[in-house]
Amino acid sequence: MEKLHGWAHGLGFSQIAVADVDLSSAEPGLQAWLDAGHHGRMHYMAAHGMKRARPAELVPGTLRVITARMDYLPQSTEPGWQAVEWAGLGRPEQAQISLYARGRDYHKVLRQRLQKLAEMLEAEVGPLGYRVFTDSAPVLEVELAARSGLGWRGKHTLTLHREAGSMFFLGELFVDLDLPPTEATSAHCGECRACIDVCPTAAITEPYRVDARRCISYLTIEHDGPIPVELRPLMGNRVYGCDDCQLACPWNKFAQTAVLADFDVRPGMAGAPIAQLLAWDETEFLRRTEGSAIRRIGFARWQRNLAVAAGNALRARDDAGLRTALARAGQGADALVAEHIAWALSAAPAPAALSSGPPPAGAL
Ligand code: B12
Ligand code: SF4
Ligand code: SF4
C-alpha cells in the first residue's frame, strides 16, 4: 500500500483509500431519491438501478475499490478565494462558471492518471483485473469515498475532508485484489447548516438530500430542456454549475489548490462579460471549450444558460449592449434558445434612476 500511495501522489492525487464492495445499506437512500423523482431527466441515474450500489455486479470479479481524490482549485487561487467568488456572483453582467470547470475536463485528467496507477500496480503484483471510473458509470462515488475514509458526507451530499474541504474530484479503480479496506472518518458537520441555508434554489431539501431538479448545477449542465421559469431568476449569473453550497461551507477554508496545472483557469472562463460570451458562434464555442467539461453541454445549452443570466442582469440593470448581444444571438437560434432569449428580453428596463438616491415621495 505504501508504494501505491507514493505512485498516487506522484500522479497528482491527494489521497487514496480502499473500500469494500458491500454498499447494500446505501440502496434504500438511492431508491428513495429515485422514487421521489429527484434525478429529474437524468435517465441514466434510474437506468442502471441498483447496479450503482453493487460494484461486483457492475464489474464481475471486483473485490475492492481503490478510491482516489484530486484537489482542483486552480493553482493561482489565493487565500480568501471564497470572497472573490461571492463578489463575482454579485456582478450580474459577468458570467459565473463553476470553479471545477474553468480548466481541463476532469474526466480526462483523472481517467488517464488512474489508468497509469493501475498499470503501475499491475507491474508490481502481476496480472490484474481492473476498471477505471470517474463520474463515468453507475458508481456511488461519494458513498465509496466516505466509507473508505476520503472524508465524510457533508449535508450538501458531497465528500468533505478536514484538511481539504470538498473542492476535489473523486475517481476509482475497481480491482480483483483483496486489499485491506481503510477506515471511514468521523463526520464534522455538527449543527451547521450553512450549505442548506445558502442554496439559491432550496435544492438541499433536507440534510443529505439534493433534489437535482432544483439544483443549478443540474439545470445548467444536465438538463436538456427549458429551464423552469420560476427558477430562472434564482440562478443569477451562474451559467455553468454552481459552487454556493461549497463556498458557504466553513471546511473549505482548508481547501487545497491543485497539484496539476490542468485545472488552471482558461481565458474567458472567469469573470467574462455575458455579452462577450453571447457573441461566440458555435465554432468559437467549440474552439474555446476544447478539452473542457463545458463542451459536453453543447452550444444550445450554453446559449440557453447565457440567456437566463442575461435576463437576470437586465432585471438588475438595463443595458442596451446586452440587449443587442441577445438579439444577435437569437438570429438563427433553435426554439429552446429563442424562448430563453425572448424571456431575457422581456425584462422591463429597470428604473435605474429610482434604484439610487432617496425614494420618491409617498414610496414609504
Ligand atoms: C448525479 C450527480 C449530480 C447531480 C445530483 C447531485 C446529488 N447530490 O445526487 C447534480 C447534477 C445536481 C450534481 C451536482 C454537483 N455535483 Co455531482 N455528481 C453526480 C454523480 C454522477 C452521481 C451522484 C449520485 O449518485 N446521486 C444519487 C443520490 C441518491 O446520491 P446522494 O445524493 O449522494 O444520496 C445518498 C444519501 O445522501 C442518501 N439520500 C439521498 N436522498 C435520500 C432520500 C431519502 C428519503 C433517504 C432515506 C436517503 C437519501 O442516500 C444516497 C445513497 O447513500 C456523481 C458521480 C458518481 N458517479 O457518483 C457526481 C459528483 C457527486 N458530483 C460532484 C460535483 C463536484 C458536483 C458539483 C459540486 C458540481 C458543481 N460545482 O456544479 C454539484 C454539487 C451539488 C450538490 N450539492 O450535490 C463530485 C463530488 C466530489 C466530492 N467532493 O464529493 C462527484 C463525485 C463527481 C466526481 N467524480 O468528482 N451532481
Ligand atoms: S450546487 Fe448550488 S443549487 Fe445545487 S445544491 Fe449546491 S447551492 Fe444549491
Ligand atoms: S456547510 Fe456545514 S452542514 Fe454543509 S457540508 Fe459544510 S459543514 Fe456540513
Side-chain angles (χ1 to χ4, degrees), residues 85-132:
E85 296 305 312
W86 288 125
L89 288 164
R91 288 187 207 104
E93 71 290 352
Q94 287 186 9
Q96 190 78 4
I97 291 175
S98 185
L99 273 153
Y100 86 91
R102 294 180 190 170
R104 189 163 145 75
D105 186 346
Y106 75 93
H107 299 89
K108 295 178 197 286
V109 178
L110 267 81
R111 197 173 310 133
Q112 279 168 8
R113 287 169 186 267
L114 283 167
Q115 179 65 33
K116 277 197 193 138
L117 185 64
E119 287 163 12
M120 287 163 132
L121 182 59
E122 190 165 40
E124 180 80 11
V125 300
L128 176 71
Y130 71 87
R131 231 168 109 183
V132 167

Side-chain angles (χ1 to χ4, degrees), residues 326-348:
L326 273 166
R328 285 213 182 107
Q331 287 163 12
D334 69 14
L336 174 79
V337 174
E339 184 273 311
H340 287 75
I341 288 181
W343 174 84
L345 288 170
S346 73

Side-chain angles (χ1 to χ4, degrees), residues 154-156 160 189 192 194-195 249-251:
K155 290 180 191 172
H156 48 26
L160 200 51
C189 280
C192 176
C195 53
C249 178
W251 289 102

Side-chain angles (χ1 to χ4, degrees), residues 98 135 139 141 143 153 156-157 159 168 170 208 217 242-243:
S98 185
D135 200 9
V139 178
E141 297 191 313
E143 206 59 47
R153 182 192 285 280
H156 48 26
T157 74
T159 326
F168 52 78
L170 298 176
Y208 315 105
S217 186
C242 171
D243 291 326

Side-chain angles (χ1 to χ4, degrees), residues 199-201 203-204 210 214-217 242 244-245:
C199 176
T201 52
I204 310 176
V210 168
R214 296 191 67 82
C215 176
I216 295 168
S217 186
C242 171
D244 291 29
C245 50

Side-chain angles (χ1 to χ4, degrees), residues 140-189:
L140 281 182
E141 297 191 313
V142 173
E143 206 59 47
L144 288 162
R147 283 160 191 251
S148 58
L150 291 188
W152 72 94
R153 182 192 285 280
K155 290 180 191 172
H156 48 26
T157 74
L158 306 169
T159 326
L160 200 51
H161 191 283
R162 278 178 86 101
E163 285 151 28
S166 60
M167 312 305 281
F168 52 78
F169 300 119
L170 298 176
E172 303 78 30
L173 265 185
F174 283 28
V175 292
D176 62 359
L177 282 183
D178 193 6
L179 298 166
T182 48
E183 298 260 309
T185 60
S186 48
H188 299 279
C189 280

